[in-house]
Amino acid sequence: MKKAILYVNQFFGQIGGEDKAGIEPEIHEGQIGPAIQFAKELKDTEVTHTIICGDNYMGSNTEEATAAILDMLEGKDIDIFLAGPAFQAGRYTVACGTICKAVKERFGVPVVTSMNEETPGVDMFKKDMYILKGGNIASKMRKDVKAMANVANKILAGEPVGSADEDGYFARGIRHQAWRKDGKPASERMMEMLVAKLNGRPFTTELPIPKIDRVEIAAPIADLKEARIALLTTGGIVPVDNPDRIQSASATRWGRYDISGDKRLLGGEYKTIHAGFDPAAADADPNVVTPVDALKELLKEGVYKSLHPYFYSTVGTGTTESEAARMAREIVPLLQEDHVDGCILVST
């Protein structure tokens, strides 16, 4: 009998909702939550343990949480490690990807998870593991578990996993040589695609080229002395209580903070929640990352005409392009509404 272990968050681990999102990792013998359904779908495989960790704890204490879970797994029989399904929950998808990657690297066992295509975990981890294309809400649980189990069963039986289209996972950019069942040579397939293209009929290329999002460079500001300027940062500078609960890595949130009356940002009132650098200097003087003081001084000198009364903040480390683009789409209308002419984007 093969052995499987499942990772879930505090909600699917039946501990609680957001009020319990800060719980530290726990390991339980037997099956809790989705593990019960996995036990039914997996062939000749026992789900021996369920690991539960709060989404907030994993997001804010990633290294500690990962290390604790790996220690819990030490000495356990593991033929496959599963996580989720995570649906469209941003923090949960990142947590599932993070722990799956760590388990794969430490123990050398296959890992499988499931996420919705709109979540940051997909872009972050799809090259590292099988991530099934999951639903957006928990009512898709049964379907998503079945899809994960289908791939897991093939792996456990030593059978080849099908293509991304066949088995429903996100393409990993890995190409394999394979014999076609129809035996049709490349020359015939190429001509069929060419004829289809010339006649406006649909066809699928056998060598997809990744699309690169090319952003046209904006025209320069004609007269800086008449311009209204806004300040944006990916350095994670926020009020000390982090009211928007922006994640320290793999961010899916942003915040807007009033600086209309501030000459500078004060340590003790603002801090950084960024997980990618030593916060000591930024916590002592947040202006080293988000230079409100310098912009106010340049405004006094008449270098530009006016300053947008808010700065915008998020965290860049681990944040996916799709999440960054979404946040930009949410912020830009606020800048347009205030007739901002140009933005200064600062990082770390």
Side-chain angles (χ1 to χ4, degrees):
M1 181 76 75
K2 299 289 180 66
K3 309 292 184 183
I5 294 179
L6 175 67
Y7 171 92
V8 294
N9 69 359
Q10 79 285 349
F11 180 79
F12 293 103
Q14 301 178 355
I15 291 177
E18 283 299 315
D19 59 319
K20 299 294 184 181
I23 67 160
E24 297 183 17
E26 305 174 357
I27 186 166
H28 300 264
E29 289 189 9
Q31 300 143 19
I32 298 174
I36 298 171
Q37 186 63 32
F38 276 109
K40 297 176 182 177
E41 298 288 348
L42 293 171
K43 298 177 181 178
D44 301 318
T45 302
E46 177 188 4
V47 182
T48 60
H49 296 80
T50 306
I51 293 175
I52 305 169
C53 182
D55 283 335
N56 284 351
Y57 187 83
M58 176 61 86
S60 301
N61 306 275
T62 305
E63 291 184 6
E64 295 92 332
T66 302
I69 293 170
L70 293 177
D71 287 345
M72 292 173 182
L73 294 174
E74 199 69 51
K76 301 283 192 300
D77 290 333
I78 313 172
D79 292 297
I80 196 163
F81 187 85
L82 309 170
F87 309 109
Q88 200 171 352
R91 290 170 298 165
Y92 192 18
T93 63
V94 174
C96 287
T98 298
I99 195 59
C100 279
K101 184 176 180 180
V103 169
K104 179 182 176 183
E105 291 174 351
R106 168 74 76 86
F107 301 107
V109 298
V111 296
V112 179
T113 185
S114 170
M115 309 173 188
N116 185 263
E117 62 185 353
E118 295 296 327
T119 56
V122 173
D123 285 343
M124 292 173 65
F125 298 107
K126 65 183 179 183
K127 291 185 179 180
D128 299 305
M129 65 197 68
Y130 289 111
I131 301 178
L132 278 295
K133 296 180 178 180
N136 60 344
I137 53 177
S139 62
K140 308 293 185 182
M141 173 71 76
R142 190 177 298 275
K143 179 180 179 182
D144 288 357
V145 167
K146 192 175 186 66
M148 286 179 63
N150 175 59
V151 170
N153 284 330
K154 288 185 176 182
I155 295 171
L156 291 166
E159 300 173 1
V161 176
S163 68
D165 289 338
E166 291 170 344
D167 281 336
Y169 57 88
F170 292 97
R172 300 185 298 160
I174 299 173
R175 296 176 63 83
H176 300 281
Q177 287 187 337
W179 293 103
R180 290 176 60 94
K181 293 180 180 179
D182 59 14
K184 187 177 292 185
S187 57
E188 291 184 24
R189 303 197 306 273
M190 181 271 291
M191 291 305 299
E192 288 175 356
M193 285 188 280
L194 177 60
V195 171
K197 183 174 183 179
L198 292 174
N199 286 276
R201 298 197 305 269
F203 68 94
T204 301
T205 179
E206 295 181 8
L207 186 62
I209 305 299
K211 294 181 179 179
I212 300 176
D213 185 13
R214 298 189 181 277
V215 179
E216 192 172 328
I217 298 174
I221 295 174
D223 185 359
L224 189 58
K225 290 184 178 296
E226 294 297 320
R228 188 161 179 78
I229 301 298
L231 179 63
L232 297 87
T233 180
T234 57
I237 299 296
V238 298
V240 290
D241 59 347
N242 190 12
D244 298 290
R245 298 174 64 194
I246 300 170
Q247 301 94 330
S248 58
S250 306
T252 60
R253 300 189 183 98
W254 56 273
R256 178 172 95 145
Y257 309 112
D258 190 346
I259 51 171
S260 58
D262 297 329
K263 291 184 179 180
R264 59 184 290 112
L265 302 181
L266 299 177
E269 294 182 6
Y270 290 87
K271 68 175 183 179
T272 180
I273 45 88
H274 198 292
F277 63 92
D278 186 336
D283 287 348
D285 181 7
N287 299 275
V288 300
V289 173
T290 305
V292 171
D293 56 350
L295 279 170
K296 292 289 179 111
E297 189 63 32
L298 292 171
L299 178 62
K300 188 189 300 183
E301 294 173 6
V303 173
Y304 63 98
K305 184 175 182 179
S306 61
L307 180 64
H308 182 61
Y310 302 91
F311 79 89
Y312 299 78
S313 182
T314 189
V315 168
T317 184
T319 300
T320 64
E321 289 184 21
S322 59
E323 286 294 324
R326 176 190 57 76
M327 288 189 270
R329 289 193 296 270
E330 294 169 357
I331 293 171
V332 166
L334 300 172
L335 301 175
Q336 293 174 325
E337 184 179 308
D338 195 39
H339 305 290
V340 169
D341 298 297
C343 297
I344 295 177
L345 284 81
V346 291
S347 185
T348 53

